[in-house]
Amino acid sequence: MSVTDRLPRTGLLDGYTRAERGVVGFVVLLMLLLVYGLVTGGLGPTYFLYLIGLVGMYVLLSFGLNAQWGYTGLINFSVAAFFGIGAYGTALLSADSSPIAGNMLPVVGLFVGLVVAAVVALVIGVPTLRLRTDYLAIASLGLAEVIRILVQNQRNYTNGSAGLRGIPGFFEGWPVLETFPQAMPTLIVERLTLTVPFLFEVDLFGFRLGQSFWQGLLNVSLVLVFVGVTYAMLRRVHRSPWGRVLRTIRADEDLAEALGKDTYRFKMQSFVLGSVIMALAGVFYAHLNLYVSPGDFEPINTFYVWIAVILGGSGSNRGAMFGGFVVIAIREGTRFLGDLLPAAFPTLGIPFTDLVVSFPALVENTYATVVSNFASTRLLAVGLLIILVMRFRPEGVLPPQRELIWPEATEGPDPGSDPGTKAVSADGSGASRGGQTDE
Amino acid sequence: MSVLEYIANGLVFSSIIVLASIGLSLVYSIADFANFAHGDTMTVGAYGTLVTFGFVGGLGGTVLGLPYGFFVALVVGIVVAAVVAVVTQRLVYEPLDIGSIGLLITSIGVAFVYRALVRLGFGADPREYAVELQRPIEALVPYGIRMTVHDVAIVGSAALLVTGLHLLLQYTDLGRKMRAMADNPDLARVSGIRTGRIRIWTWLIGAGLAGAGGGFLGLYNNVGPRMGFDILLVVFAAVILGGIGSVYGAMLGGLLIGMIDQMTPILGDVGIPIGTEYSYAIAFVIMVAVLLVRPTGIAGEAGS
C-alpha cells in the first residue's frame, strides 16, 4: 500500500530497495496490461472487476495465513478448508437451493461462517498445535481432507458435489445497496476507432456498463473494506505485545516458554485469528461467485495461498498483497494466454514445410501441448515458482522489515536518510532500507 | 461380503501402502523432512511402467496372469522413479539451505512439477495397463474370498521386495551404514561413513520402492496423474502410525492402515453409518490420534 503512496513523492523510486522497485514495476506493468485490455475491449469491465475481487480475496487469504505462518510459524495446510467453511457457511444460510436453511440474510451468513470457522479452528487446533511443525503440516492437510470428504458426501446437508447455487449478493437486505445495481443507469460507452494515418487503427471501448457492472463495483468495494479493516487490525495486532510474543514463538519457541509465555495459548489464538480471516475470504467468494462446490476445498487452493505468502515474504502484509496479485496473474494469466496464443507454433507467415528442418517437431509438439493444456501449465508454473522462491529467495520478495525493532525507534522525521542500515530479524530475513517501517 | 474377503482386500492394498511408506520413512529419517513429492514419485513409477509396458508388451510367457514384459516394465518404472528422485535431490534439495520446513514446502513444488509434467506428457485421463482383466480365483470363492491372480502377484512381489530390503538392511555393509546414519548422522560421519553416498543410496531405494508401489497401484486401480497425490496422505498416516524414521514401523503401519482402509465396510455391516467413502478420512483421523497420543508411533525411533 505505502509503496504506491510514496511513489509520487520520490518520483525516481530513490528510497526503495531493488526488490521493491521490481514489485512496483510488476504491479504497474500488470495494471497497464489490464487497462490496455479494458480500453481495447479485450477484457470486459465486469470481468475486470471480478478479477480485482479475486485479488482482494487472495489478499485476505494471504493475510490469514500470514497471521499463522508469518507471525507465529504455524504450518497450516488447511487454508482451503477454512475458506470453504466460510463460503459454505454463508451459502447454506442464504442460497435458495440450500438443503438446510436458505434465504436468510447474507449478513447472518457472514456471522455464522466466521463463528463456525472459529469453532472448527479450535477443534483442529486442540490436537494439532501441540505437535512439531512438520507433523502439524501433515495433520492439518489430513483434517482439511476430512472436511472436504464430509462436504462432498453429506448430500442431505451440503448438496454434495452438485454444490450450491442461487446465492444472493452480499448486500441483499441492505437499505440502499440492495437495489443499487438495478437503480443505476446503464451507461453505454460508444466504440471509438482511433486511426493514426499510415500506421495503425485501433478500436477502443465499446461496452455497456449495466447491472452486472454495478454489482461488480459493489463487490470490489466490499472486498476493499474487508481488506482494509483486516490490514489495519493485523498491523495493530502485530505491533502489540501480543504480536511480539508471536514473533518470539516463531523465532524460538523454547525461549518464549522460558520467558513464561503459554505458547500453546498464543499459537491457538493466532491460529483462530488466521482461520477466521480465511473464512472471511470464503464468505466474500460465495457472494462474488454466487456458486460454491466441494472443489473449493481442493488442496491446490491451499497451496496457491502458500505461494502468495512465501513469495511475498512470510510475515509481511505488504508481501501478502503482492503475492495475491501474482497468484491471480498466474491463475488467470495462464487461462488468458491459453486463449491468446495460437494453438500451433508460430511460423511467422512462412509456409510450414519450409520450417520442418529448422524447427524440430519436438519443439512444435511441446509448444502445442503446453498451450492446449493450460491447467497443467498452470500447475507447472506454480510448482516451479515454489522451487525457485525457496532456492533463490526463501525470505520472499518483500520480507518484513525491522520487525524486531520498536516501531517508534524507526519512525524518524526523515525517511530514507539511512539506506545502509541493515536490520536482521531472527528468522534470518534482512531489511536493507532505512525509513519508516511498513510492518 | 465376508470378513475373510475384507482381509484379503486389505492385504492387497496394504502391500501397496507398505512399499510406499517404507520409502517415505527412509527419506524422512535420512533427509530429515516430510517429502510431499513422494506420492508423485509413485505416479512417475506408474507411468514409467505404463510406457515401458507399451513397448515390451506381451514379452515371453505369463505368470499370475501377467506377461513377463510387465515385470520388466515394472523394473524400468522403479529405475525411472529412483533416477528422477535422485536427480531432484541433486538439482533441487541439495543446494537449498533452509531447514526441514523449507524443504517440506519445496517438496510440494516438486510434487506439482512432477504431476504437471506427467499431465503434459500423457494427458489427464486415467489409463490402464494392457493386461487382461482376471476373474477371481475359483479355489478361493467358496471361502467367500474374491481375489484375482493379479492381487496375488501384487502381494507376492511386495513381500519379495520387503524381504529383500530387510536382508539389505540387516546383512549388508550398505544396510548397516544406512541404519547407522538414520540413528545418528554425525556419529556415522565421524566413524568414516561417506554420508553423502549413503544419502543417495537411500533416495534410490526409497524412491524405487515408491515406484514399485505406484506400478502396483496402477494395476490395482488405474494409472492417472493424481493417483500418487491422492494416496500420499494415507501413506503419511501409515508412516506416522508406524513411527517416523523406522523402516519396520513403516511396514507395520502400512499393513495396519491398508487393512483398516479395506475393513471400513464392516462398520456399515455392524450398523455404524459410516460409508466406504470415508475410508481415507478414517485413516487421517487415526493419524491425528496417533500424533496426539503417541507421536513416536508404534515402533518409535528405536525400530530401524
Side-chain angles (χ1 to χ4, degrees):
Chain A
M1 279 217 145
S2 47
V3 171
T4 40
D5 287 348
R6 262 176 286 148
L7 199 57
R9 190 152 52 85
T10 50
L12 290 166
L13 302 175
D14 303 325
Y16 294 94
T17 60
R18 258 174 72 190
E20 284 172 330
R21 292 179 201 189
V23 167
V24 172
F26 176 83
V27 173
V28 168
L29 197 74
L30 205 68
M31 279 300 173
L32 285 179
L33 206 68
L34 286 174
V35 170
Y36 173 78
L38 203 60
V39 169
T40 54
L43 186 73
T46 311
Y47 185 61
F48 173 76
L49 290 177
Y50 178 75
L51 284 187
I52 300 290
L54 283 185
V55 170
M57 182 192 92
Y58 268 99
V59 170
L60 272 180
L61 284 169
S62 312
F63 280 172
L65 183 59
N66 217 358
Q68 299 173 341
W69 159 247
Y71 293 1
T72 326
L74 304 174
I75 295 207
N76 176 12
F77 280 170
S78 51
V79 179
F82 290 106
F83 171 72
I85 285 171
Y88 262 82
T90 188
L92 281 173
L93 292 182
S94 61
D96 52 22
S97 68
S98 163
I100 50 174
N103 294 322
M104 288 161 109
L105 285 186
V107 184
V108 182
L110 169 76
F111 181 72
V112 171
L114 298 191
V115 169
V116 171
V119 171
V120 173
L122 273 173
V123 171
I124 291 190
V126 167
T128 55
L129 289 182
R130 290 187 199 275
L131 303 174
R132 237 170 63 184
T133 31
D134 51 344
Y135 292 1
L136 174 61
I138 301 167
S140 59
L141 187 57
L143 290 173
E145 279 293 284
V146 171
I147 293 176
R148 185 179 71 82
I149 296 170
L150 275 172
V151 170
Q152 192 157 3
N153 290 302
Q154 293 301 326
R155 285 186 196 84
N156 42 344
Y157 298 119
T158 63
N159 245 4
S161 50
L164 290 168
R165 292 178 190 284
I167 303 169
F170 183 76
F171 290 102
E172 197 184 73
W174 289 49
V176 182
L177 294 173
E178 180 181 9
T179 49
F180 172 77
Q182 289 89 336
M184 288 303 283
T186 300
L187 297 181
I188 297 176
V189 182
E190 294 293 343
R191 176 173 289 269
L192 291 174
T193 306
L194 186 73
T195 314
V196 176
F198 309 115
L199 280 178
F200 61 87
E201 190 182 276
V202 278
D203 288 334
L204 297 178
F205 307 113
F207 36 74
R208 302 179 65 219
L209 304 179
Q211 194 179 327
S212 56
F213 173 78
W214 299 114
Q215 185 66 51
L217 205 60
L218 216 51
N219 282 332
V220 168
S221 326
L222 177 68
V223 82
L224 284 181
V225 171
F226 281 174
V227 167
V229 169
T230 312
Y231 181 79
M233 182 200 59
L234 284 179
R235 194 180 153 94
R236 180 77 197 81
V237 148
H238 197 204
R239 285 180 171 186
S240 69
W242 186 76
R244 280 202 297 280
V245 177
L246 294 190
R247 297 198 301 264
T248 314
I249 292 176
R250 183 193 161 118
D252 187 342
E253 194 174 337
D254 292 337
L255 175 65
E257 290 211 327
L259 292 172
K261 303 295 179 192
D262 184 355
T263 55
Y264 176 66
R265 254 182 81 166
F266 279 95
K267 277 156 80 174
M268 179 65 86
Q269 287 158 356
S270 133
F271 189 71
V272 172
L273 174 69
S275 303
V276 169
I277 297 173
M278 289 166 191
L280 182 67
V283 171
F284 171 73
Y285 175 76
H287 294 293
L288 174 77
N289 203 39
L290 308 182
Y291 169 66
V292 293
S293 72
D296 300 330
F297 288 84
E298 284 285 334
I300 181 83
N301 294 326
T302 295
F303 296 117
Y304 276 134
V305 183
W306 267 90
I307 293 173
V309 171
I310 58 173
L311 178 71
S314 306
S316 150
N317 284 329
R318 284 188 314 161
M321 290 188 196
F322 171 63
F325 262 102
V326 174
V327 166
I328 291 299
I330 294 174
R331 261 189 53 170
E332 301 299 317
T334 42
R335 187 177 315 222
F336 190 61
L337 275 181
D339 297 341
L340 203 69
L341 291 172
F345 196 77
T347 51
L348 306 167
I350 309 163
F352 177 73
T353 43
D354 295 349
L355 282 163
V356 171
V357 190
S358 50
F359 280 114
L362 184 69
V363 175
E364 292 190 0
N365 288 340
T366 312
Y367 175 85
T369 319
V370 168
V371 168
S372 56
N373 295 296
F374 63 81
S376 311
T377 313
R378 184 158 57 224
L379 195 66
L380 185 66
V382 165
L384 285 176
L385 194 63
I386 295 180
I387 296 174
L388 291 176
V389 170
M390 295 314 281
R391 171 86 174 81
F392 295 106
R393 212 175 160 91
E395 77 276 19
V397 176
L398 295 175
Q401 297 191 335
R402 313 186 149 233
E403 63 167 14
L404 294 182
I405 297 181
W406 200 252
E408 284 78 21
T410 56
E411 279 169 358
D414 183 17
S417 63
D418 188 14
T421 320
K422 254 209 158 32
V424 179
S425 62
D427 58 352
S429 56
S432 51
R433 179 172 63 83
Q436 67 220 90
T437 167
D438 290 292
E439 297 312 313
Chain B
M1 291 216 281
S2 70
V3 176
L4 276 180
E5 161 133 40
Y6 296 142
I7 294 177
N9 288 344
L11 209 57
V12 181
F13 191 61
S14 292
S15 308
I16 296 164
I17 301 295
V18 164
L19 288 177
S21 54
I22 292 173
L24 187 59
S25 193
L26 271 177
V27 172
Y28 213 142
S29 68
I30 300 239
D32 195 30
F33 72 97
N35 181 14
F36 275 73
H38 196 73
D40 292 87
T41 311
M42 294 173 73
T43 314
V44 170
Y47 274 90
T49 310
L50 180 80
V51 171
T52 318
F53 191 50
F55 283 116
V56 296
L59 192 72
T62 60
V63 55
L64 293 171
L66 292 167
Y68 294 154
F70 178 80
F71 293 97
V72 175
L74 190 69
V75 171
V76 175
I78 292 172
V79 171
V80 169
V83 168
V84 166
V86 168
V87 169
T88 312
Q89 146 77 3
R90 271 285 159 87
L91 285 182
V92 181
Y93 300 130
E94 215 169 70
L96 290 177
D97 183 24
I98 44 176
S100 67
I101 300 303
L103 285 169
L104 187 159
I105 296 172
T106 311
S107 73
I108 293 168
V110 171
F112 286 169
V113 169
Y114 285 176
R115 198 190 336 159
L117 290 179
V118 163
R119 271 174 59 162
L120 285 172
F122 304 97
D125 297 327
R127 298 171 175 216
E128 283 181 356
Y129 301 125
V131 291
E132 267 181 57
L133 285 179
Q134 299 290 317
R135 300 180 62 77
I137 302 168
E138 293 291 337
L140 293 176
V141 173
Y143 303 99
I145 303 171
R146 300 169 59 82
M147 204 176 172
T148 67
V149 281
H150 285 170
D151 295 338
V152 176
I154 292 175
V155 176
S157 314
L160 209 66
L161 285 169
V162 169
T163 313
L165 181 74
H166 168 71
L167 295 178
L168 176 92
L169 282 176
Q170 295 301 330
Y171 301 107
T172 68
D173 200 36
L174 175 65
R176 269 189 287 272
K177 286 176 180 166
M178 281 170 66
R179 284 187 291 142
M181 204 180 141
D183 259 6
N184 188 336
D186 293 332
L187 191 57
R189 202 179 159 86
V190 296
S191 314
I193 294 173
R194 291 180 182 163
T195 47
R197 204 174 281 182
I198 303 299
R199 186 165 288 135
I200 294 290
W201 271 109
T202 310
W203 274 99
L204 277 174
I205 294 170
L209 288 173
F216 290 130
L217 185 62
L219 187 64
Y220 182 72
N221 285 328
N222 46 36
V223 182
R226 265 195 75 131
M227 58 189 285
F229 194 77
D230 285 339
I231 208 168
L232 175 68
L233 275 171
V234 181
V235 178
F236 264 122
V239 171
I240 287 172
L241 179 60
I244 285 175
S246 151
V247 169
Y248 296 99
M251 291 178 192
L252 190 61
L255 189 69
L256 284 173
I257 288 288
M259 281 290 178
I260 292 168
D261 185 86
Q262 295 297 312
M263 298 270 181
T264 318
I266 291 183
L267 290 176
D269 294 351
V270 298
I272 302 170
I274 296 178
T276 46
E277 64 269 25
Y278 289 108
S279 62
Y280 280 11
I282 292 172
F284 303 156
V285 171
I286 290 175
M287 170 175 81
V288 175
V290 170
L291 282 174
L292 259 184
V293 181
R294 194 180 155 82
T296 51
I298 298 171
E301 301 280 6
S304 77

